Amino acid sequence: MSATPITPAQAQQQARELLAKRAELGPAWLDWVAAQLFACPSQQHARAIRRALQALMQG
């Protein structure tokens, strides 16, 4: 069974949700994000979210 592809809008939304937790989690945030990405249903899903997160963090 393959995972449903993620749309760019879904990836951006999930990335915004991850970024919103940054202040709350402090130094543990990066490990938490890694765990969230590892739990994604596919590598493509995780890559899309990671790219969206990078774009948000770079401005």
Side-chain angles (χ1 to χ4, degrees):
M1 178 184 285
S2 63
T4 304
I6 186 171
T7 67
Q10 289 171 322
Q12 288 175 352
Q13 178 59 35
Q14 290 184 16
R16 281 191 293 273
E17 291 170 9
L18 294 176
L19 195 55
K21 288 277 198 173
R22 191 175 188 183
E24 178 185 333
L25 296 174
W29 179 77
L30 193 56
D31 287 337
W32 178 79
V33 168
Q36 297 302 305
L37 293 175
F38 185 76
C40 285
S42 70
Q43 288 182 344
Q44 292 80 8
H45 195 101
R47 277 195 295 265
I49 296 169
R50 182 186 52 80
R51 284 192 300 266
L53 184 58
Q54 280 183 309
L56 285 173
M57 292 177 69
Q58 291 176 351

